[in-house]
Amino acid sequence: MPTVIVDGHEIEIGADERLNCIEAARRAGVEIPHYCWHPGLSVVASCRMCLVETGTRDAATGKITMVPKLVPGCQTPARDGTVIVTDSKLVRDSRARVEEALLIDHPIDCSICDKAGECLLQDYHFQHGQPERRTDLNPFHSRRRDVGPTVTLFVDRCIMCTRCVRFTREVSGTAELMVANRGSKEEIDVFPGFPLDNKLSGNVVDLCPVGALGDKDFLYQQRVWFLKREANVCGGCSAGCSIHTEHNQDTVYRLKPRDNPHVNTWWMCDDGRYGWHHLHAPDRLLAPGRAVSASGEREPAEWHDVVTRLRAELEGSRLAVAISPMLTVEEAWMLCAVARSIDPRAALHLGHVPVRGEDERFPAGFTIRAEKCPNRRGVEAVLRLYEEELRGWDDLVRTVADGGVDAAWVTAGYPGPWIDDAGAAPFDRLRTLVVQDLFDSALGKRATWLLPAAGFAERAGTWVNVAHRAQTFDAAIRPPAGVWPEGRLYWNMLGRRGLYDPHAVRRQIAESSTTLAVLGGEIPPVGVDLRVEQLAGG
Ligand code: FES
């Protein structure tokens, strides 16, 4: 096995691995500070913060020969016999000088900077900077420049790492950002009339190691040290990007991509990034209601009433159920069980699958999917346990229109409008219609029972993405008061005791199905993927 020596500790690396010194040192638990390097971008080695001493150890004699100068760790490959020294006086002095140079012109405006608390300039100054400033403090400027609809640039905070410029050239392929001027006058800018306006633009804010690029949606909304983060999955499309939901007091403030080499690497799209506001929309459904007149008047109901009355009202009906691709695998499985316990011949259908345009693929491979739901594959896998043939939303509407059923239970939970009056008209003829949704709709107006649904950050369970990769997650926030997540309702309707426990349901699913057995294994920490390709074949 190739061996690298980091600060005297030997670590083994894979024979085919192409690591630089930063990555090799990380394996040894040593963090080499860096600004301009990012694993998803080309290497420019311009900030010089990662300078280290390196050398080689002769395999035969064990003699170490050091390079007589510091080298950038980001640009220097770590091979068999590479020696890396990260804590010598030479290295420490170099880091302190880089920090000093960066801070000479940097505005000391941390108290009003959105990045404070997660700023590498701050962190590295405390870890590697000099205790005293050797220059006068200049009055600072904080010029702000609007570079696009989602991003603002605080020009004087920039340390010219150029991560953002490389991102727009290499990942989004849009190249809106550039370096204007030269030498000490260098600045990030856009060409007049060509703003930073692409579907991945929010990633440049994540990439910025200091507070130069600000996300307009998050700017001055919350200090980052108040935020808690939960490893979640984006529900915006079938890509199922791994994300962190950052929240405080049951309010989401921002979504950030979570590194996942199998799904989204380091990125997420702006549709997903800013696609959480509906969770806190004032017109969300907040309590169950039962229609009391044909004109759509409803009386509020208690959830415990819903559990008993719903079953009683549906019993004896020919029932069709639409299982929304916004539900988790666990919720879908329980809903199927509830439906079949009410009507053993209940027709189980995949719910409405929203599709918008075509898949959008970017130069570095990141793809925004046209299918705007996160768990079609998971719901299909569950349906295959119950039905010989997969049937979709259109089949259900046809069955309802033909009078094949006299009751329907439609789960939705889409973040926006999804059905119009014409689409909902066939449901007029049903005796009982149950609708579970985030917002009222043309279908909701026809519902006998209209039940509130949970949003993506309020659910726990498993989603299976377009590549048949299952990701398990916990709820980040609690739903608004009065809302039961779907899983809780089904859990109670199945007569299960105690609080809804998606882990228990997952274990039960795995025991009852060979195709879904993989979900029952030792579930790794939240957010780690389980490869479940066999779901594809049923
Ligand atoms: Fe290596 Fe910037 S991270 S020079």
Side-chain angles (χ1 to χ4, degrees), residues 472-491:
T472 299
F473 52 91
D474 276 333
I477 58 171
R478 290 174 297 183
V483 175
W484 275 19
E486 287 86 331
R488 184 173 171 191
L489 173 65
Y490 310 148
W491 176 270

Side-chain angles (χ1 to χ4, degrees), residues 16 30 37 269 397 466 471 529:
D16 303 327
V30 175
W37 179 74
C269 74
V397 175
V466 67
Q471 296 187 81
D529 298 338

Side-chain angles (χ1 to χ4, degrees), residues 69 118 332 338 399 440 449 464 524:
K69 63 171 188 173
E118 56 178 9
V338 169
T399 309
D440 205 350
W449 285 93
V464 182

Side-chain angles (χ1 to χ4, degrees), residues 34 49 57 68 112 169 174 270 329 364 424 450 489-490 505 526:
H34 56 275
M49 191 61 191
R57 183 174 67 178
I112 55 161
R169 290 181 186 174
T174 45
D270 287 0
V329 168
L450 182 58
L489 173 65
Y490 310 148
V505 177
V526 168

